[in-house]
Amino acid sequence: MATNGKHDTYTNAVEVYEGGKYTVPGLENFKPEDLGRPPKLQLIQSQSEIEGVDVNPASGNVGKFYHGLTSAIKARLNVMVLKITKSQIYYSTKEPFDRKNPPECRSADGVAPDADYMGVFATECAKCPNFRNFRVDPTTGKQLAPTCTSQINFLMADTEEDDAPAIATLQGASAEAAQFIGQKITFFGFKRSFLLSSVFETKNSNSYFKWKAELGPKLTPEEEHRYAMMSLQFAG
């Protein structure tokens, strides 16, 4: 097997070793969308529906994170943020609400509906009657959230699971964690990782876990460069 000088790069091999990781030749010809959407990183709630995951509070899984690619369940994660996007999703306000039903509209970029939903309500999010339509509760007079919900999506790499990527969608009660991460990556870029955990909260008679984010360790210049290069793979 030929080698490229003193570097750990092998040629004429099924796999190529570069920068501490084996990769399969030919992957450079594929875009992320060609290989499918990365799996989800989910905070397990008692009402979650995740195949193969016991969400009974007695199981000890509730309040932990489930990684859709590795199937790992952890109470705490050390992750790198590779990409951030903002999306919109609209569910019917008709009762009774069933979380198993698909949304009535969705936009991956928050600008225009996805192809499957184009023209259902509008061709641009800004022109949709459901977009940012703050309503008022007729009983209390209090302002209600828009029926079309904004979501912040983070593509994260689990640094303790071979940098396995997964998408975390933060909204609602976890908006504070999303804002924290967004502010810090604006300043630090790829210089710092994030430590994720959860916090139990009870509000308006509802109990649930929400995301908590803290700054993680400072990366070496080599690690910073490696994650910056990884992020380019998902730039599309």
Side-chain angles (χ1 to χ4, degrees):
M1 185 179 297
T3 61
N4 184 10
K6 297 181 179 180
H7 300 289
D8 290 327
T9 301
Y10 296 91
T11 58
N12 301 321
V14 174
E15 294 181 313
V16 177
Y17 187 76
E18 185 76 54
K21 183 179 180 180
Y22 286 99
T23 59
V24 178
L27 280 178
E28 67 276 6
N29 299 319
F30 289 83
K31 296 180 180 179
E33 57 266 27
D34 295 330
L35 303 175
R37 184 180 176 86
K40 294 181 179 180
L41 179 63
Q42 298 173 265
L43 178 56
I44 303 172
Q45 308 283 355
S46 59
Q47 70 273 23
S48 296
E49 296 180 356
I50 305 174
E51 185 176 356
V53 177
D54 186 352
V55 298
N56 188 308
S59 68
N61 292 331
V62 178
K64 295 181 180 179
F65 297 95
Y66 173 76
H67 197 299
L69 182 60
T70 65
S71 297
I73 297 177
K74 297 181 179 180
R76 193 172 175 86
L77 298 173
N78 187 353
V79 303
M80 284 297 299
V81 175
L82 303 178
K83 183 179 180 180
I84 178 173
T85 61
K86 186 177 181 181
S87 59
Q88 297 287 142
I89 190 166
Y90 171 71
Y91 285 95
S92 172
T93 56
K94 298 177 182 179
E95 299 290 345
F97 173 75
D98 189 344
R99 67 177 60 252
K100 293 182 180 179
N101 292 335
E104 293 197 10
C105 189
R106 179 177 4 220
S107 171
D109 59 9
V111 176
D114 294 349
D116 292 344
Y117 301 97
M118 180 60 68
V120 173
F121 295 105
T123 56
E124 297 177 33
C125 291
K127 296 180 180 180
C128 179
N130 302 311
F131 185 64
R132 296 179 181 171
N133 62 330
F134 287 93
R135 302 162 293 142
V136 176
D137 188 320
T139 303
T140 64
K142 293 184 178 179
Q143 192 177 66
L144 301 175
T147 52
C148 186
T149 306
S150 295
Q151 301 175 318
I152 300 180
N153 310 294
F154 297 94
L155 179 62
M156 298 177 169
D158 187 342
T159 64
E160 298 171 346
E161 292 286 342
D162 295 324
D163 293 329
I167 289 181
T169 298
L170 277 65
Q171 61 180 351
S174 296
E176 183 178 345
Q179 292 172 355
F180 176 87
I181 296 173
Q183 291 171 354
K184 299 306 179 184
I185 61 175
T186 299
F187 180 78
F188 290 109
F190 296 102
K191 293 181 182 295
R192 302 287 290 269
S193 65
F194 290 91
L195 302 177
L196 302 179
S197 58
S198 67
V199 178
F200 184 72
E201 183 173 90
T202 298
K203 190 174 183 180
N204 297 330
S205 301
N206 295 317
S207 297
Y208 49 83
F209 284 89
K210 65 179 184 179
W211 295 63
K212 179 182 178 181
E214 304 171 85
L215 273 178
K218 184 177 180 180
L219 274 64
T220 65
E222 292 77 15
E223 291 173 324
E224 182 182 354
H225 175 76
R226 179 162 61 87
Y227 285 113
M229 293 299 99
M230 281 184 63
S231 73
L232 293 178
Q233 300 176 26
F234 303 96

